[in-house]
């Protein structure tokens, strides 16, 4: 493990500012405004820092208070997120696990009881009790139960019914609907394959034609779109690449084109990632793009002994610009804190620190978070425990 003492120099940063070449557009105005805000954050810290400081400390306790409060009691302002309650469980539990903040057993059992109510007789999970089964909250619920790490959490998942649910969404071309008669996109494929592989119900028959459909979503840009002929996008790209890796079919996509697209998504001034071409930096892509780099690194015939992106600049952006002063993590300076960004910003920080064999933490040891798995985005030791449980209680391969 190495602790990097230095971040980028302010004078050097000025040379990386966006140049609109005297052609002002709405996009260029927004980009300049973001850079002004980010530069103010960097310069404010530089002017106030002590000699031993290179970046702000990760305010672990504040983040923990914000996340734990949400887990124990969500205010009425969360009513609009009623269909995302299983997601909130996952976002909060995963964030706390990365921060290595212990969750009381009473709170764990309350989460298990709630998630069990979200599971329908069809086998899938809804966003909340009484809501229809949907692949996205099913993925969130399965991940959350694995993070909880208790046998009673694992036993909540009715794997026979879950397999029936996945089959009900499988399409002849290899894709999966998000729910019965719902939309079809690459998120559905990833969510279906992830929960199937996590719970030991993945089979060749279930994934017939799936790899070919995923590859058809890779665009001329190199990234993956939500479905064939859509624009490449960071979240969809992660889903496509991770799904191919679960299938062990990663060789079917154009890795070099994908890498070329990815390296252009890191914003040279801000240090964070954008989601797609000509967009602003957003903290959540610290994971969506960062994890894709981690996956590609392990796929190369001759992987380099260094990161494929500037992991120091990403950590600098997260610690300086993506921490809310009251706790929680954010998209960019000036944005509200929320559980979604807290989860994926911390996950991106984990990737930036851990995916290479030579761990690199910017600042001091207090800034280190736990290691997440780049395919499933679950803390590695918790993932291993869940996989071992489901392997030892293996279900019949096909109904």
């Amino acid at each position: 493990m190495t602790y990097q003492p230095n971040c980028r120099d302010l004078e050097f940063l000025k040379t990386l500012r966006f140049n609109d070449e005297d052609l002002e557009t709405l996009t260029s105005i927004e980009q300049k405004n973001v850079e002004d805000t980010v530069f103010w954050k960097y310069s404010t810290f530089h002017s106030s820092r002590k000699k031993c400081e290179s970046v702000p400390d990760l305010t672990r306790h504040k983040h923990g208070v914000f996340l734990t409060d949400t887990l124990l009691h969500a205010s009425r302002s969360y009513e609009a997120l009623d269909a995302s309650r299983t997601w909130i469980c996952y976002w909060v539990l995963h964030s706390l696990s990365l921060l290595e903040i212990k969750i009381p057993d009473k709170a764990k059992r309350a989460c298990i009881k709630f998630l069990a109510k979200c599971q329908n007789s069809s086998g899938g999970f809804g966003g909340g009790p009484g809501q229809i089964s949907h692949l996205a909250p099913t993925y969130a619920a399965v991940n959350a139960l694995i993070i909880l790490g208790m046998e009673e959490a694992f036993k909540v998942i009715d794997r026979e019914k879950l397999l029936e649910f996945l089959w009900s969404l499988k399409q002849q071309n290899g894709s999966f609907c998000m729910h019965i008669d719902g939309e079809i996109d690459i998120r559905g494929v990833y969510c279906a394959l992830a929960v199937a592989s996590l719970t030991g119900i993945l089979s060749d028959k279930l994934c017939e034609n799936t790899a070919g459909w995923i590859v058809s979503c890779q665009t001329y840009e190199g990234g993956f779109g939500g479905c064939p002929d859509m624009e490449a996008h960071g979240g969809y790209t992660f889903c496509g690449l991770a799904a191919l890796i679960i299938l062990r079919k990663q060789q079917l996509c154009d890795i070099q084109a994908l890498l070329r697209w990815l390296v252009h998504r890191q914003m040279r001034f801000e240090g964070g990632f954008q989601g797609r071409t000509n967009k602003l930096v957003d903290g959540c892509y610290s994971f969506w793009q960062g994890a894709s780099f981690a996956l590609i690194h392990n796929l190369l015939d001759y992987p380099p002994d260094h990161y494929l992106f500037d992991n120091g600049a990403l950590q600098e952006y997260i610690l300086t610009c993506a921490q809310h002063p009251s706790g929680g993590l954010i998209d960019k300076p000036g944005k509200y804190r929320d559980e979604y960004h807290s989860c994926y910003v911390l996950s991106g920080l984990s990737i930036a620190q851990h995916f290479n064999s030579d761990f690199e933490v910017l600042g001091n040891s207090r800034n280190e978070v736990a290691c997440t798995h780049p395919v499933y985005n679950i803390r590695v030791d918790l993932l291993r425990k869940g996989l071992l449980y489901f392997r030892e209680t293996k279900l019949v391969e096909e109904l």
Side-chain angles (χ1 to χ4, degrees):
M1 173 71 71
T2 59
Y3 299 103
Q4 301 176 25
N6 298 313
C7 54
R8 296 177 297 170
D9 179 75
L10 288 179
E11 292 303 314
F12 170 69
L13 274 181
K14 290 178 182 178
T15 68
L16 304 179
R17 295 294 295 260
F18 178 74
N19 178 12
D20 63 9
E21 298 179 344
D22 297 322
L23 183 62
E24 190 173 80
T25 65
L26 179 60
T27 302
S28 69
I29 293 170
E30 290 179 340
Q31 177 62 31
K32 287 182 177 181
N33 288 339
V34 170
E35 289 185 3
D36 288 342
T37 306
V38 168
F39 188 75
W40 178 81
K41 293 287 288 186
Y42 284 147
S43 58
T44 299
F45 173 74
H46 277 250
S47 64
S48 63
R49 70 178 182 174
K50 300 174 184 178
K51 288 184 178 179
C52 61
E53 296 176 324
S54 61
V55 289
D57 286 345
L58 179 67
T59 54
R60 190 181 304 265
H61 176 70
K62 288 184 178 181
H63 302 325
V65 170
F66 166 66
L67 293 161
T68 304
D69 284 350
T70 303
L71 192 64
L72 298 177
H73 176 72
S75 68
R76 293 190 65 179
S77 64
Y78 282 80
E79 286 179 344
L81 295 173
D82 184 56
S84 300
R85 293 166 72 186
T86 47
W87 275 110
I88 292 172
C89 285
Y90 166 60
W91 295 332
V92 171
L93 292 170
H94 181 52
S95 298
L96 291 172
S97 74
L98 291 180
L99 292 169
E100 299 183 277
I101 294 175
K102 182 175 174 57
I103 303 166
D105 285 346
K106 183 178 179 180
K108 284 186 175 183
R109 290 190 170 89
C111 287
I112 294 169
K113 185 177 179 180
F114 169 75
L115 291 168
K117 290 180 179 179
C118 297
Q119 186 174 211
N120 294 311
S121 58
S122 65
F125 290 77
Q131 298 180 23
I132 66 167
S133 295
H134 190 290
L135 271 175
T138 297
Y139 165 82
V142 169
N143 275 19
L145 290 165
I146 288 176
I147 291 167
L148 288 165
M150 303 167 72
E151 186 173 2
E152 60 188 283
F154 300 150
K155 286 184 174 180
V156 165
I157 304 168
D158 186 335
R159 290 189 290 166
E160 289 189 6
K161 289 292 186 180
L162 176 58
L163 185 55
E164 288 181 6
F165 172 62
L166 296 181
W167 270 113
S168 72
L169 304 177
K170 175 71 185 296
Q171 304 299 298
Q172 191 172 1
N173 64 2
S175 64
F176 288 80
C177 292
M178 292 300 291
H179 58 89
I180 298 296
D181 297 326
E183 71 273 28
I184 296 173
D185 61 49
I186 208 165
R187 295 173 305 153
V189 170
Y190 168 69
C191 290
L193 297 184
V195 299
S197 60
L198 286 169
T199 57
I201 58 175
L202 188 65
S203 67
D204 291 340
K205 189 175 179 182
L206 182 64
C207 349
E208 190 174 4
N209 298 325
T210 299
W213 187 87
I214 296 170
V215 171
S216 73
C217 296
Q218 187 170 22
T219 78
Y220 72 93
E221 303 163 274
F224 288 77
C227 57
D229 303 320
M230 284 185 67
E231 179 186 12
H233 179 281
Y236 294 140
T237 294
F238 165 79
C239 288
L241 181 58
L244 285 174
I245 288 172
I246 291 171
L247 294 174
R248 300 182 181 178
K249 300 285 187 179
Q250 59 272 6
Q251 74 280 359
L252 297 180
C253 74
D254 189 336
I255 294 293
Q256 292 300 325
L258 173 54
L259 183 57
R260 183 174 61 248
W261 179 80
L262 276 172
V263 297
H264 286 93
R265 302 286 71 78
Q266 186 167 24
M267 309 297 279
R268 63 179 190 168
F269 180 84
E270 300 93 312
F273 287 103
Q274 62 180 186
R276 48 197 168 107
T277 305
N278 209 37
K279 292 295 183 178
L280 302 175
V281 68
D282 186 334
C284 70
Y285 292 107
S286 303
F287 175 76
W288 300 123
Q289 308 287 30
S292 293
F293 276 108
L295 297 175
I296 288 176
H297 188 276
N298 294 324
L299 299 180
L300 297 177
D301 292 333
Y302 302 100
D305 58 2
H306 57 78
Y307 284 71
L308 296 171
F309 65 96
D310 190 336
N311 67 311
L314 178 60
Q315 292 182 66
E316 183 182 17
Y317 175 76
I318 290 171
L319 294 168
T320 308
C321 300
Q323 295 194 87
H324 192 281
S326 299
L329 291 105
I330 58 178
D331 165 353
K332 58 179 71 66
K335 295 290 186 177
Y336 292 106
R337 60 183 179 168
D338 61 73
E339 293 76 16
Y340 167 83
H341 282 91
S342 296
C343 172
Y344 291 108
V345 172
L346 287 171
S347 300
L349 183 61
S350 175
I351 292 290
Q353 294 174 350
H354 287 285
F355 92 78
N356 200 6
S357 56
D358 294 326
F359 301 162
E360 296 179 358
V361 175
L362 193 64
N364 58 56
S365 60
R366 295 188 298 274
N367 289 344
E368 184 183 355
V369 295
C371 181
T372 193
H373 194 285
V375 170
Y376 300 102
N377 203 21
I378 298 172
R379 204 175 78 186
V380 170
D381 58 324
L382 299 174
L383 174 65
R384 188 179 298 116
K385 182 178 180 181
L387 290 173
L388 183 61
Y389 172 84
F390 289 116
R391 186 177 300 132
E392 290 178 344
T393 55
K394 192 166 180 61
L395 188 71
V396 61
E397 187 169 326
E398 290 291 341
L399 295 179

